[in-house]
Amino acid sequence: MRVAKAGTGRGRPSYLMSIIGVALVLFFLGIVGLLFINTRQLSSYFKENIEVQVILRDDVPEATAQALKDSLARLPFVKTIEYISKDEAYRRYVAETHDSAQVLLGYNPLYASLNFKARAAYVNVDSLQKIAGQLQQIPQVREVFYQQGLVDQLDKNMQRIGLVFLALSILLALVVIFLIDNTIRLAMFSNRFLIKTMQMVGATRWFIAKPFDRKSIWNGFISAVLAIMGICMVIYAAEQILPELRVLQNNLQLAILFVGLIVVGIFISLISTHRAVMKYLRTRVDDLY
């Protein structure tokens, strides 16, 4: 065991470089994951700000409209809903257009409506068409209006972004595995004589590999923590520059990303270290030079 400790001590500089190298790779992997999360959050944010207008008939009393509002609010696809009376609709129209249509026509041409914002999962062309069809069956409803072109364009753009992120994630995953594996193999290179010496004095493969495997788990964890600290600094700096980004922050998904980085760092570090140890155990002494 004294030999092992001495050898491990001589290997510390290479372990340090291995930790830093793995941390950098995990950092870039985490940044891509962060962009993916924020893109999904941004998509949900835009989707949940698309307004669906349920235009009511002129003969619908306000009490009936309020009851219909309460009924729609309980539906699973409704996130928020508000009742807009004829007078309120007219005030908003004048505020936006500065056009006093009532003066020219002698009456208020606008209709009362129930305006709701749907949950992101339901904001796509097919779902909104089904929802609009169901709502138009209600006797008090005159028509249902939403920006179908905007919804369609948003769906297409998100599909394109999803494909780009899928391709990028697959490519980056392969690069991450390759870089971490090579970084750790280089770190283990300085311990090749120690590994062979322990084998030559009669130590079993498990006995030799065990301390290196334990060290790799700890190194992988440290690398992941360093990467997470770097990502947190990037998030903090970005939010200082653009405070609006705080709206997109999802602590649960961020926690899942960080746990994923820790698991990836430990797993790849452990597998790569164990493979390197087994490789040097199978190597002849003359081939170590």
Side-chain angles (χ1 to χ4, degrees):
M1 290 304 294
R2 288 181 181 177
V3 176
K5 289 180 180 178
T8 306
R10 289 194 298 268
R12 280 175 187 168
S14 60
Y15 277 133
L16 176 62
M17 295 306 298
S18 170
I19 290 171
I20 295 174
V22 173
L24 286 173
V25 176
L26 291 175
F27 171 77
F28 287 114
L29 179 64
I31 290 296
V32 172
L34 184 64
L35 290 174
F36 178 73
I37 290 173
N38 283 341
T39 300
R40 292 191 62 181
Q41 288 297 111
L42 189 61
S43 170
S44 297
Y45 176 79
F46 282 133
K47 285 183 174 183
E48 292 184 346
N49 275 279
I50 293 176
E51 193 170 65
V52 179
Q53 293 181 310
V54 182
I55 312 298
L56 302 178
R57 298 184 185 278
D58 256 343
D59 57 352
V60 177
E62 184 169 338
T64 304
Q66 290 288 354
L68 180 59
K69 171 195 167 186
D70 294 338
S71 176
L72 293 180
R74 291 191 290 269
L75 296 176
F77 56 81
V78 175
K79 184 182 181 185
T80 59
I81 188 169
E82 63 174 339
Y83 169 66
I84 306 296
S85 65
K86 285 174 63 72
D87 292 338
E88 177 63 22
Y90 179 74
R91 283 194 294 271
R92 293 188 180 188
Y93 173 77
V94 172
E96 291 176 2
T97 65
H98 305 289
D99 179 16
S100 183
Q102 189 169 355
V103 174
L104 297 175
L105 299 175
Y107 67 94
N108 182 358
L110 302 179
Y111 295 92
S113 65
L114 295 172
N115 297 353
F116 72 87
K117 293 176 181 177
R119 299 188 186 278
Y122 294 90
V123 182
N124 56 71
V125 176
D126 294 337
S127 295
L128 287 180
Q129 283 179 348
K130 291 179 181 178
I131 290 171
Q134 293 173 1
L135 294 177
Q136 285 173 341
Q137 301 301 316
I138 300 173
Q140 295 85 2
V141 174
R142 185 176 187 273
E143 65 175 320
V144 178
F145 172 78
Y146 62 92
Q147 294 176 302
Q148 185 172 350
L150 178 61
V151 174
D152 185 42
Q153 190 63 40
L154 187 60
D155 267 350
K156 290 179 180 178
N157 289 341
M158 290 313 302
Q159 287 176 3
R160 294 191 190 104
I161 293 173
L163 290 174
V164 170
F165 267 110
L166 178 61
L168 185 61
S169 299
I170 294 173
L171 177 62
L172 188 60
L174 295 175
V175 171
V176 164
I177 293 172
F178 176 78
L179 288 178
I180 292 179
D181 184 64
N182 277 275
T183 300
I184 291 173
R185 285 172 62 188
L186 287 173
M188 292 302 298
F189 182 76
S190 61
N191 291 308
R192 65 194 187 282
F193 290 110
L194 169 63
I195 294 170
K196 204 63 181 177
T197 300
M198 293 173 70
Q199 183 184 34
M200 293 173 66
V201 296
T204 63
R205 289 191 173 190
W206 169 247
F207 181 84
I208 297 170
K210 188 175 180 180
F212 290 103
D213 289 347
R214 285 179 176 174
K215 187 71 175 177
S216 70
I217 292 173
W218 180 242
N219 289 348
F221 176 78
I222 295 174
S223 297
V225 170
L226 291 175
I228 290 169
M229 291 172 61
I231 293 169
C232 288
M233 292 173 64
V234 170
I235 293 172
Y236 177 78
E239 289 180 350
Q240 294 302 306
I241 298 171
L242 292 173
E244 296 83 2
L245 292 176
R246 294 190 181 98
V247 178
L248 303 178
Q249 187 171 330
N250 186 310
N251 292 330
L252 176 61
Q253 292 185 347
L254 201 58
I256 293 173
L257 173 65
F258 290 164
V259 171
L261 288 178
I262 292 173
V263 171
V264 170
I266 291 175
F267 179 76
I268 299 180
S269 180
L270 175 60
I271 295 300
S272 299
T273 299
H274 192 79
R275 284 179 61 244
V277 172
M278 292 300 108
K279 171 189 172 184
Y280 290 124
L281 288 175
R282 292 190 299 267
T283 303
R284 294 186 307 169
V285 175
D286 293 341
D287 295 333
L288 296 177
Y289 294 92

